[in-house]
Amino acid sequence: MGDLEPTDPSPETPAELPEGITLEDAERITELAEEDRRPSTRRVYRSKWSLFVSWCEKRGADPLPASE
């Protein structure tokens, strides 16, 4: 079975951050969240996220926020 990890899991342009959250804050939050996951779990999450983003793009939808 091949590696499911995307070649570039980061978006080309960053999503708009909530008010009061800096880019540094967002990066640290991401680091802390990823520390709690096994590498295989992160690969699966990235793969599923990539599939969801593709699904949204095909329908002209923005993947974030995923709900209203």
Side-chain angles (χ1 to χ4, degrees):
M1 187 168 174
D3 187 2
L4 298 177
E5 187 168 339
T7 55
D8 182 14
S10 62
E12 290 179 21
T13 57
E16 187 174 323
L17 296 172
E19 187 174 334
I21 301 293
T22 66
L23 182 56
E24 292 80 19
D25 292 337
E27 289 170 348
R28 182 65 181 138
I29 290 166
T30 300
E31 289 171 10
L32 290 171
E34 287 184 349
E35 286 176 5
D36 192 37
R37 303 280 186 252
R38 292 179 175 263
S40 59
T41 302
R42 289 194 301 269
R43 280 193 301 271
V44 170
Y45 286 176
R46 282 188 204 114
S47 174
K48 296 299 182 183
W49 177 254
S50 178
L51 291 171
F52 176 67
V53 169
S54 293
W55 183 88
C56 289
E57 287 174 351
K58 288 177 185 174
R59 289 158 179 79
D62 187 358
L64 290 175
S67 63
E68 295 182 292

